[in-house]
């Protein structure tokens, strides 16, 4: 949909809801917000990041009375989209942005936690179930690529970026695999696509796998039983006899493991993740990768779920009164507990007077719960503003892409991810591009700047912009932040804390965290396949 000649996008009847201000927030006078704040709520949600907004929307759709608060005066939290002025201010870029250099400044929308959406993944099912897709437009990402290091790394030669084949013809012409290995991988891929992970073909009646389910494949001497629930990934791939490079491609680029954890993961999980990749590739007509991305950036996601919650009776309060002054102070939004140790409310201190939002369930991101979380590492990211695409993209006519750098190809333990978008997704002016490199920090960081950390951890990816003929960044920013996870699952004190966003360039780990939290909060499991099918049938 859109103007004639505009880039095609996936769009389901966007509706414009009645808005009280530019953010869709109902602003209340001071006395009004105190009255609203002091009510009793089924749940109070702290922070308007993507996970928190998604949970707020799901709880509201389920009939819960939700109060959603944020100590910031904008939506999105850590997953907000910044305009170009906010970006320069955040990274203290010195001189203000220039239209002569960067094009129309109003056309930039730079995500702080850039992630693609798997077209067949859980987030798309949530969007369909909640009808949040009504408020957004999406476009497929053009290309998926894989990095391979040079044979002699000490030579200083840069590795190659290979396109993930889309057709049998592209697969045959790809230099990633030998002709013999292409045949083996073709048989393997066809088998993965053909089996139903939820329906084993039978159960062992004797031997070491007694009463265990099995699936089958054609072997040298007939059909061979494969106990996918008993095997781990290592055992599974050993049975297929594929080469190490093929296994690396399948586990890191297709199954999207960010490290070698696939080796000990259940074989059935490995197969399911590869099936997700294959299903996402064909989820919508004309897709050339398994990924989707919203027009105008990911900042649209939390706002869409905020609108959803509002439609179902949720109340949102950003940190801004009618006159623009803050409502919450630095020590506000603390928790109050009942005698049995369960949460009883969220406290806002208005001068001498404490106003309490009574609730028996609190949900939020780690930044609101000092002492209730543990560090899980750090993520480092480089953000590049470009005036030309990667050479591989230009060759394929792509305006957006993902490049995965398998850890072993970079001498690391964790993969690198390159995410690149352009004006086609309405996140940059015409002829400009925004690229993100991210990974998990592996080395010590004490006394190091974000730039120093990035150049050590992201070296293989940053080399894409320094090799001969590469597009030199107009601006390059560096960010690093710690990640946290809750100390407990929240079922005892009814305080449910999300995990920080990881370094992956897709939403599957994030949406799994949300669905797990929803089950702990409500005691119910969302059957997204059934709910999405029902929602699609209604439309």
């Amino acid at each position: 949909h859109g103007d004639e000649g505009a880039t095609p996008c996936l769009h389901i009847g966007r509706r414009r809801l009645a808005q009280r201000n530019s953010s869709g927030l109902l602003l209340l006078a001071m006395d009004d917000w105190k009255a609203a704040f002091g009510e009793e709520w089924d749940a109070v949600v702290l922070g308007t990041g993507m996970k928190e907004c998604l949970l707020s929307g799901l709880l509201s759709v389920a009939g819960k009375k939700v109060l959603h608060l944020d100590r910031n005066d904008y939506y999105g939290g850590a997953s907000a989209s910044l305009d170009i002025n906010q970006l320069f201010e955040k990274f203290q870029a010195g001189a203000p942005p220039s239209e002569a250099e960067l094009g129309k400044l109003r056309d930039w929308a730079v995500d702080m936690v850039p992630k693609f959406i798997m077209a067949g993944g859980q987030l798309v099912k949530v969007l369909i179930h909640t009808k949040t897709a009504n408020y957004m437009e999406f476009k497929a990402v053009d290309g998926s690529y894989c990095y391979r290091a040079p044979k002699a790394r000490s030579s200083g030669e840069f590795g190659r970026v290979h396109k993930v084949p889309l057709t049998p013809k592209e697969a045959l012409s790809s230099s990633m695999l030998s002709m013999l290995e292409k045949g083996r991988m073709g048989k393997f891929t066809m088998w993965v696509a053909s089996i139903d992970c939820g329906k084993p073909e039978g159960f062992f009646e004797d031997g070491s796998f007694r009463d265990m389910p099995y699936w089958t494949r054609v072997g040298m001497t007939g059909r061979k039983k494969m106990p996918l629930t008993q095997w781990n990934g290592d055992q599974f791939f050993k049975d297929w006899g594929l080469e190490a490079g093929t296994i690396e491609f399948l586990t890191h680029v297709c199954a999207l493991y960010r490290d070698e954890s696939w080796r000990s993961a259940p074989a059935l999980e490995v197969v399911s993740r590869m099936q997700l990749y294959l299903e996402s590739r064909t989820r919508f007509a004309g897709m050339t990768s398994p990924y989707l991305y919203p027009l105008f950036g990911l900042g649209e996601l939390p706002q869409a779920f905020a609108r959803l919650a509002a439609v179902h009776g949720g109340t949102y309060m950003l940190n801004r009164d009618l006159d623009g002054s803050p409502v919450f102070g630095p020590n506000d939004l603390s928790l109050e507990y009942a005698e049995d140790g369960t949460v009883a409310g969220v406290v806002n201190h208005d001068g001498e007077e404490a106003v309490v939002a009574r609730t028996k369930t609190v949900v939020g991101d780690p930044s609101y719960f000092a002492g209730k979380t543990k560090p899980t590492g750090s993520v480092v990211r480089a953000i590049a503003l470009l005036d030309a695409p990667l050479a591989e993209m230009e060759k394929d006519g792509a305006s957006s892409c993902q490049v995965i750098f398998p850890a072993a190809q970079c001498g690391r333990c964790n993969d690198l991810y390159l995410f690149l978008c352009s004006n086609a997704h309405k996140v940059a002016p015409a002829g400009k591009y925004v690229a993100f490199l991210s990974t998990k920090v592996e080395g010590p960081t004490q006394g190091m700047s974000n730039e120093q950390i990035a150049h050590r951890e992201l070296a293989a990816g940053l080399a894409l912009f320094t090799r001969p003929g590469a597009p030199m960044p107009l601006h390059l920013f560096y960010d690093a932040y710690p990640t946290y996870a809750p100390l407990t699952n929240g079922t005892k004190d009814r305080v449910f804390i999300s995990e920080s966003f990881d370094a992956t360039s897709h939403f599957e780990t994030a949406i799994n965290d949300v669905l797990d939290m929803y089950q702990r909060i409500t005691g119910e499991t969302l059957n997204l396949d059934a709910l999405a099918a029902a929602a699609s049938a209604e439309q």
Side-chain angles (χ1 to χ4, degrees):
H1 295 282
D3 298 333
E4 185 176 354
T7 305
C9 61
L10 303 171
H11 173 44
I12 307 175
R14 168 178 283 192
R15 291 186 299 166
R16 294 212 176 267
L17 303 180
Q19 297 182 349
R20 305 300 176 88
N21 72 350
S22 59
S23 299
L25 175 71
L26 176 61
L27 293 176
L28 302 174
M30 185 64 75
D31 291 341
D32 292 332
W33 81 250
K34 286 182 183 178
F37 195 93
E39 294 181 15
E40 186 159 346
W41 306 87
D42 293 325
V44 175
V45 180
L46 303 179
T48 54
M50 192 282 291
K51 291 184 181 183
E52 288 69 42
C53 285
L54 206 161
L55 279 165
S56 178
L58 288 172
L59 292 171
S60 296
V61 169
K64 307 297 182 183
K65 182 182 178 184
V66 178
L67 174 64
H68 202 149
L69 311 171
D70 198 311
R71 63 165 67 100
N72 297 311
D73 62 357
Y74 56 86
Y75 286 107
S79 52
S81 293
L82 304 185
D83 64 37
I84 196 68
N85 292 299
Q86 292 170 326
L87 182 72
F88 273 54
E89 181 179 349
K90 175 179 174 63
F91 292 103
Q92 300 177 345
S98 163
E99 283 206 349
E101 178 188 38
L102 296 172
K104 289 185 179 180
L105 299 183
R106 67 181 183 182
D107 289 345
W108 289 98
V110 181
D111 292 321
M112 290 296 95
V113 183
K115 290 180 182 287
F116 289 135
I117 300 169
M118 297 293 289
Q122 300 283 58
L123 182 53
V124 168
K125 294 172 185 175
V126 170
L127 290 166
I128 294 172
H129 161 55
T130 60
K131 299 182 175 62
T132 313
N134 292 350
Y135 313 137
M136 302 182 66
E137 297 176 46
F138 299 86
K139 182 184 181 300
V141 174
D142 289 334
S144 181
Y145 297 82
C146 176
Y147 172 80
R148 285 284 175 86
K151 292 182 179 180
R153 296 185 187 177
S154 59
S155 65
E157 178 186 356
F158 183 78
R160 292 191 61 186
V161 174
H162 298 266
K163 183 181 180 183
V164 176
L166 296 173
T167 64
K169 182 179 179 180
E170 287 185 359
L172 288 173
S173 63
S174 174
S175 60
M176 280 196 292
L177 305 176
S178 67
M179 289 302 296
L180 184 61
E181 187 67 0
K182 287 174 183 176
R184 285 194 288 260
M185 182 175 168
K187 292 179 181 178
F188 173 83
T189 304
M190 289 177 64
W191 179 84
V192 167
S194 69
I195 72 163
D196 186 336
C197 288
K199 294 182 179 179
E201 297 172 47
F203 291 82
F204 287 97
E205 296 177 355
D206 53 20
S208 58
F209 300 135
R210 184 176 180 84
D211 297 326
M212 295 298 295
Y214 67 79
W215 289 255
T216 65
R217 73 177 180 92
V218 177
M220 296 294 292
T221 58
R223 299 202 70 83
K224 181 177 183 179
K225 296 179 179 179
M226 305 186 70
L228 298 183
T229 58
Q230 188 73 14
W231 280 350
N232 61 28
D234 249 344
Q235 294 169 310
F236 171 67
F237 282 110
K238 183 178 179 180
D239 184 77
W240 278 92
L242 297 170
E243 294 177 356
T246 307
I247 296 172
E248 179 185 72
F249 173 80
L250 290 168
T251 53
H252 289 258
V253 179
C254 298
L256 295 174
Y257 284 95
R258 57 191 171 192
D259 51 29
E260 293 298 283
S261 58
W262 62 267
R263 294 183 179 276
S264 58
L268 190 63
E269 174 193 297
V270 177
V271 174
S272 295
R273 290 176 68 149
M274 287 187 286
Q275 285 186 338
L276 172 61
Y277 186 94
L278 295 172
E279 291 165 3
S280 295
R281 260 276 294 112
T282 56
R283 178 68 175 82
F284 300 102
M287 292 193 66
T288 53
S289 84
Y291 311 112
L292 301 173
Y293 197 66
L295 300 191
F296 307 104
L298 288 174
E300 295 287 292
L301 269 178
Q303 293 197 57
F305 282 107
R307 295 184 189 111
L308 171 73
V311 167
H312 289 271
T315 299
Y316 275 72
M317 292 178 60
L318 300 183
N319 195 11
R320 184 173 68 246
D321 199 10
L322 278 174
D323 59 3
S325 60
V327 174
F328 312 126
N331 298 318
D332 287 337
L333 304 182
S334 57
L335 302 185
E336 184 175 280
Y337 291 89
E339 291 184 1
D340 62 0
T342 59
V343 73
V346 176
V347 183
N348 185 50
H349 302 278
D350 177 42
E352 298 296 323
E353 180 185 2
V355 185
V356 182
R358 296 293 175 189
T359 186
K360 294 181 180 179
T361 300
V362 172
V363 181
D365 73 59
S367 69
Y368 287 85
F369 304 100
K372 285 184 167 290
T373 60
K374 60 185 177 183
T376 56
S378 297
V379 171
V380 62
R381 183 170 288 117
I383 304 171
L385 308 183
L386 309 168
D387 60 3
L390 300 177
E392 292 80 6
M393 293 174 59
E394 198 164 24
K395 175 184 174 184
D396 298 327
S399 61
S400 56
C401 76
Q402 170 169 257
V403 183
I404 293 179
F405 296 70
Q409 300 296 321
C410 310
R412 295 175 46 81
C413 298
N414 294 272
D415 294 357
L416 269 64
Y417 297 91
L418 171 66
F419 159 110
L420 192 147
C421 273
S422 66
N423 182 254
H425 281 90
K426 309 299 184 186
V427 296
K432 307 297 180 185
Y433 302 80
V434 57
F436 304 86
L437 272 165
S438 59
T439 192
K440 184 175 181 178
V441 175
E442 294 181 357
T445 60
Q446 187 173 1
M448 296 178 66
S449 67
N450 289 347
E451 182 174 355
Q452 290 171 325
I453 298 169
H455 277 276
R456 183 189 67 196
E457 303 285 342
L458 301 170
L462 289 171
L464 275 177
F465 306 119
T466 58
R467 58 183 172 160
M472 291 296 294
L474 301 171
H475 291 274
L476 192 55
F477 306 104
Y478 305 98
D479 192 20
Y481 60 89
T483 56
Y484 298 92
L487 289 172
T488 67
N489 66 11
T491 54
K492 186 175 181 180
D493 61 4
R494 300 295 298 171
V495 177
F496 301 93
I497 307 171
S498 63
E499 297 181 5
S500 302
F501 286 103
D502 58 30
T504 56
S505 59
H506 56 84
F507 267 118
E508 288 308 295
T509 54
I511 193 66
N512 287 338
D513 184 31
V514 168
L515 295 176
D516 182 60
M517 290 178 69
Y518 183 88
Q519 191 278 329
R520 284 183 274 130
I521 294 167
T522 65
E524 301 174 0
T525 300
L526 280 176
N527 184 341
L528 288 176
D529 289 319
L531 292 170
S536 296
E538 288 179 12
Q539 295 177 351

